[in-house]
Amino acid sequence: ATMREDRIKRTKTVCTYCGVGCSFEVWTKERDILKIQPQPDAPVNGISTCVKGKWGWDFVNSEERLTKPLIRKEGKFVEATWNEALTLIASKFTELKDTYGPDSMGFIASSKCSNEENYLFQKLARGVMGTNNVDNCSRYCQSPATAGLMRTVGYGGDAGTIEDLKTTDLVFVIGANPAESHPVLATRIKRAHKLHGQKLIVADLRKHELAQMADQFLHPVPSSDLIWISAVTKYIIDQGWADDDFIKNRVNNFDEYVDSLDKYTLEYAEQETGLKKEELIELATTINEAETMCICWAMGVTQHIGGTETSTAISNLLLVTGNYGKPGTGAYPLRGHNNVQGACDFGTMPAWMPGYEPVENEEIRARYEKAWGVSLPRKPGLNNHQIVETIHSGKVKGMYLFGEEMGLVDANINHVHAAFEKLEFFVVQDVFFSKTAEFADVVLPAAPSLEKDGTFTNTERRIQRFHKVFEPLGDSQPDWKIFQAIANRLGAKWNYKHPSEIMDEAASLAPLFAGVSYERLEKWNSQLWPVQKSGESTPLLYTEKFPFADGKAKLYPVEWRKPYVPDEKEYDLHLNNGRLLEHFHEGNLTYRSKSITHKVPQPWLEVSPELAEERGIKTGALVKLTSPYGEVKIRVWVTEHVSGKELYLPMNTTDEMEAVNMLTSSYHDKVTHTPNYKEMSVKMEVIEAD
Ligand code: SF4
């Protein structure tokens, strides 16, 4: 027995799925995963996990793993050695750069990969290839929240931690479904609501689990959030309920902001949003009576033409009511992927160096130029939306993408595929042969988190260490090693032996991470940025000042933008989309986890009982959805989660079915270019009624 137990290895890791950032021990014997064992010391989740964290790991040993580099030859992929693949990549990258200039390349980073890997990738794009055309998938989700927060309070991250969500008087959730998308965080909210009398208000199109238990549920007309949020803010000010001291001492621009609210009366809001005056007064009263409030939001807010404006309106409401800088207050844009926060933090964004320092600032660039021994491009680069458009217009010719399923998750996917087909040279690096890989010239086999060391940053800005459990499968390699090999083939002289050295470099250059180090992240320790040189973390932001020149926050006037939806006469149904508890995003990993797929093998379309009756269909019916951009055939689930003419389609896909992004358009948020995934109308034809 002892011998058997001796061979069982326990390794601390951090969940590879959502941005909550649960950590736990993986128990393994050779390459078998015996169990996932949460520990009371885990800072976020203690002894909890959700179904994905608990069961979603067997993809690591999937027979479908990529284990060798692949090169496309005469239209077919053939296995190659690393040497062949790297030689080809180096010669093609050099050729593109020499022929068309560095900005003929686009670099797409991964929110699933580590901070260190994202740091190295942007160093490769900027420092070796000479372009700022580098972005990550936060462009598809929370970039508008980041932009709205940077305008008003200065940092593009959650203002506090899950502790604040547990202890606040009022949790207000707008356009988010934490019970399925951020399950362990949702259990904290549910518990505080049930046991400690915490108030919960939910605004959403769907009556999801948290909506069902909320003290107040608001169901506005799709895309009208800015109007009712601004109307409630105006009502609070008009009633004399604003936090005058906070505004006087800590906030700029109050008068101009108040003037901008003139038109947002309750009557106007009632007319435009469908919410009754009484509902808005009840909401304003609850906010006023709460000592402290946290607002959580996600893609129901951000994925609109006016996503940044609505995120700004939320932050304005928090400022007016003094809900920043105290325990139990603040803005909580809930992060999707495990490391979407970290990918942004560590600089895979076209306008920002690591730690949100602008690429345009000469002093900042000089700091990196000196450390890296290169000269850096001065102008912000293209984001992933612009990269697609610029491939179509012929200026971007090559692309390097890792750990990102852009070929399924980007909006208006037929248009994106057409762009991929125009590329002269496309490198895709992933754990599996993805949909995106079908368009590649070279596919490189990467190692998932269990096969490497590194750190992830969760939605709370919490940096946590994960440790290597297995050797990389076959010839696959950790992403950071692949970047280093490519950089060195292109003439760099990188010599990182361990990700800790990459973090040391990032910490020495980006003040936001000054005191981050692997020594300080041992065991269950974590650090929340900004991290002082002394190692001191910042669990709660803005306690003394906002990171602007005079230390004050800024109220920022915003205008509502009419959503873009196709002609409503022909396309008569509103299509919403989002996640499922069991599958993560497009399902690239979870569909390869047998324990999960046997529970939920495919997506379905939620249809309201009223609409089902009108069209004469039952659960199980097969329908065809059509938008101006494409069509999808899918089975129906009749449910009261949705009402009237609103449909809901989960964003996961299967091999047989590409779902929601066959239908979405290329319209996008004006500030950040985040696609307006949530502004879509479709028509529905019945193929089989039951
Ligand atoms: Fe993983 Fe998120 Fe589930 Fe936690 S809540 S186990 S981080 S998917």
Side-chain angles (χ1 to χ4, degrees):
T2 326
M3 279 211 32
R4 236 182 24 233
E5 272 161 31
D6 276 354
R7 284 162 55 211
I8 295 176
K9 199 168 100 179
R10 299 178 184 192
T11 318
K12 181 208 161 187
T13 196
V14 179
C15 186
T16 195
Y17 293 106
C18 91
V20 173
C22 298
S23 52
F24 25 72
E25 279 181 353
V26 198
W27 290 32
T28 51
K29 203 169 96 191
E30 280 135 31
R31 274 199 81 92
D32 288 339
I33 298 169
L34 305 177
K35 68 170 172 178
I36 298 297
Q37 179 72 54
Q39 297 289 329
D41 289 338
V44 177
N45 55 309
I47 55 166
S48 315
T49 64
C50 81
V51 55
K52 295 185 288 287
K54 189 94 183 156
W55 302 108
W57 293 93
D58 42 352
F59 73 86
V60 173
N61 289 323
S62 163
E63 283 175 8
E64 292 176 49
R65 280 278 305 273
L66 285 168
T67 54
K68 291 231 178 312
L70 304 173
I71 296 178
R72 185 194 289 278
K73 286 186 182 152
E74 290 160 12
K76 287 211 178 77
F77 284 105
V78 291
E79 287 187 353
T81 62
W82 275 104
N83 186 36
E84 282 171 287
L86 295 172
T87 307
L88 178 63
I89 291 169
S91 83
K92 282 286 184 184
F93 280 11
T94 307
E95 184 189 319
L96 288 173
K97 186 176 168 183
D98 292 350
T99 320
Y100 306 109
D103 291 334
S104 65
M105 285 287 302
F107 288 78
I108 307 290
S110 174
S111 303
K112 293 174 189 142
C113 290
S114 69
N115 291 326
E116 295 75 8
E117 289 167 333
N118 278 285
Y119 174 87
L120 267 204
F121 193 65
Q122 59 89 38
K123 181 173 177 178
L124 173 67
R126 296 188 158 115
V128 180
M129 287 300 288
T131 180
N132 282 317
N133 293 349
V134 56
D135 204 6
N136 70 74
C137 80
S138 73
R139 189 72 47 197
Y140 304 136
C141 55
Q142 287 287 25
S143 285
T146 302
L149 291 175
M150 284 183 145
R151 279 172 170 181
T152 50
V153 289
Y155 284 128
D158 286 6
T161 66
I162 293 172
E163 203 48 41
D164 295 286
L165 291 170
K166 286 202 280 201
T167 53
T168 184
D169 286 355
L170 169 62
V171 173
F172 187 6
V173 180
I174 309 175
N177 178 7
E180 297 202 69
S181 305
H182 303 90
V184 166
L185 181 145
T187 59
R188 304 301 186 255
I189 297 175
K190 288 190 238 176
R191 192 178 301 158
H193 179 71
K194 272 196 201 129
L195 303 182
H196 310 302
Q198 184 181 77
K199 286 262 191 274
L200 173 65
I201 301 179
V202 174
D204 209 285
L205 301 186
R206 279 170 84 234
K207 200 146 192 195
H208 54 61
E209 195 183 332
L210 280 195
Q212 287 166 29
M213 61 188 283
D215 297 291
Q216 188 182 7
F217 171 58
L218 302 138
H219 179 172
V221 163
S223 312
S224 70
D225 296 332
L226 184 142
I227 298 175
W228 62 264
I229 293 165
S230 300
V232 164
T233 312
K234 175 175 165 54
Y235 182 80
I236 285 173
I237 296 169
D238 291 348
Q239 292 300 110
W241 295 345
D243 187 334
D244 295 333
D245 282 348
F246 184 85
I247 293 168
K248 189 163 145 258
N249 297 322
R250 306 207 51 193
V251 183
N252 284 323
N253 212 28
F254 183 66
D255 293 337
E256 192 198 327
Y257 173 66
V258 171
D259 289 346
S260 78
L261 289 176
D262 270 356
K263 77 166 182 229
Y264 295 101
T265 61
L266 294 182
E267 291 71 24
Y268 173 65
E270 186 170 85
Q271 179 194 320
E272 296 292 325
T273 72
L275 295 174
K276 302 223 160 41
K277 244 166 103 173
E278 298 71 45
E279 288 179 272
L280 297 175
I281 293 174
E282 183 188 335
L283 169 61
T285 309
T286 312
I287 293 174
N288 180 46
E289 283 168 359
E291 261 319 287
T292 50
M293 166 172 73
C294 296
I295 304 185
C296 305
W297 74 99
M299 275 136 265
V301 168
T302 55
Q303 291 174 338
H304 292 270
I305 280 184
T308 296
E309 308 307 270
T310 308
S311 299
T312 308
I314 293 173
S315 193
N316 286 338
L317 170 60
L318 288 162
L319 284 171
V320 164
T321 52
N323 276 303
Y324 272 116
K326 298 182 289 191
T329 65
Y332 296 79
L334 302 176
R335 295 291 184 165
H337 279 91
N338 58 334
N339 202 35
V340 64
Q341 183 70 51
C344 298
D345 297 346
F346 283 82
T348 53
M349 287 174 100
W352 306 100
M353 300 300 288
Y356 303 97
E357 294 193 296
V359 294
E360 280 179 302
N361 182 309
E362 206 161 313
E363 250 171 69
I364 291 161
R365 273 203 321 274
R367 192 194 313 145
Y368 283 87
E369 286 175 337
K370 187 159 168 249
W372 294 350
V374 296
S375 71
L376 288 172
R378 293 153 173 256
K379 290 265 162 275
L382 303 171
N383 61 43
N384 50 18
H385 177 84
Q386 294 166 319
I387 288 173
V388 169
E389 295 312 320
T390 314
I391 298 169
H392 274 296
S393 67
K395 293 217 180 69
V396 168
K397 310 271 188 191
M399 207 161 108
Y400 183 10
L401 168 150
F402 78 104
E404 169 62 42
E405 184 57 300
M406 194 168 171
L408 282 179
V409 303
D410 202 352
N412 194 4
I413 208 65
N414 290 317
H415 180 69
V416 175
H417 291 175
F420 289 166
E421 271 164 8
K422 288 187 182 162
L423 286 167
E424 278 185 26
F425 189 63
F426 188 13
V427 179
V428 171
Q429 175 171 317
D430 210 324
V431 174
F432 291 108
F433 191 88
S434 59
K435 178 78 196 171
T436 312
E438 288 175 20
F439 299 89
D441 296 288
V442 180
V443 180
L444 300 175
S449 63
L450 290 187
E451 297 174 359
K452 58 193 178 188
D453 285 287
T455 61
F456 291 143
T457 305
N458 80 345
T459 189
E460 304 164 289
R461 299 169 282 108
R462 185 187 300 276
I463 302 167
Q464 301 187 89
R465 177 85 161 81
F466 62 89
H467 299 261
K468 179 161 138 182
V469 179
F470 304 126
E471 285 304 317
L473 193 70
D475 288 351
S476 71
Q477 297 258 7
D479 296 85
W480 65 269
K481 282 197 179 166
I482 305 175
F483 304 147
Q484 172 154 289
I486 291 176
N488 288 346
R489 295 272 177 144
L490 292 165
K493 292 199 174 58
W494 295 0
N495 186 23
Y496 303 102
K497 290 184 204 66
H498 191 269
S500 63
E501 298 171 6
I502 305 171
M503 180 57 89
D504 288 345
E505 179 179 313
S508 74
L509 287 166
L512 205 61
F513 316 116
V516 178
S517 75
Y518 275 35
E519 291 75 48
R520 289 172 170 152
L521 293 169
E522 269 172 22
K523 304 219 169 86
W524 300 93
N525 294 331
S526 59
Q527 295 182 293
L528 295 93
W529 64 251
V531 180
Q532 308 304 321
K533 226 176 164 122
S534 64
E536 196 190 325
S537 284
T538 316
L540 184 62
L541 294 174
Y542 318 125
T543 49
E544 266 145 45
K545 60 185 173 63
F546 293 90
F548 293 119
D550 64 357
K552 286 189 174 187
K554 183 167 188 253
L555 281 161
Y556 195 104
V558 279
E559 279 282 325
W560 182 66
R561 290 183 203 273
K562 193 171 166 10
Y564 171 79
V565 279
D567 174 20
E568 284 164 29
K569 276 193 214 86
E570 188 182 355
Y571 301 100
D572 56 338
L573 305 174
H574 180 268
L575 180 73
N576 188 11
N577 64 78
R579 287 216 205 125
L580 278 186
L581 172 64
E582 291 82 358
H583 285 290
F584 194 70
H585 279 210
E586 77 283 346
N588 231 340
L589 304 182
T590 44
Y591 271 109
R592 284 167 172 112
S593 172
K594 291 202 181 78
S595 14
I596 288 184
T597 336
H598 93 266
K599 291 192 181 109
V600 182
Q602 62 188 28
W604 56 78
L605 176 75
E606 293 186 7
V607 173
S608 72
E610 310 88 273
L611 185 65
E613 196 181 317
E614 184 195 304
R615 303 286 166 102
I617 52 174
K618 296 207 172 82
T619 293
L622 184 66
V623 296
K624 183 169 94 177
L625 298 180
T626 312
S627 82
Y629 309 97
E631 57 180 57
V632 162
K633 287 187 190 136
I634 190 148
R635 299 255 168 217
V636 161
W637 177 31
V638 180
T639 166
E640 286 176 355
H641 285 170
V642 287
S643 55
K645 290 181 178 251
E646 291 173 7
L647 305 169
Y648 182 79
L649 183 58
M651 62 165 91
N652 51 309
T653 56
T654 65
D655 285 349
E656 299 80 52
M657 183 188 298
E658 287 168 28
V660 72
N661 289 318
M662 299 296 282
L663 303 167
T664 48
S665 76
S666 296
Y667 290 86
H668 50 80
D669 175 50
K670 290 287 176 268
V671 181
T672 63
H673 292 186
T674 294
N676 70 339
Y677 294 94
K678 300 294 192 276
E679 294 173 357
M680 180 46 54
S681 38
V682 293
K683 61 184 170 193
M684 181 171 85
E685 290 159 67
V686 180
I687 301 174
E688 292 165 20
D690 53 22

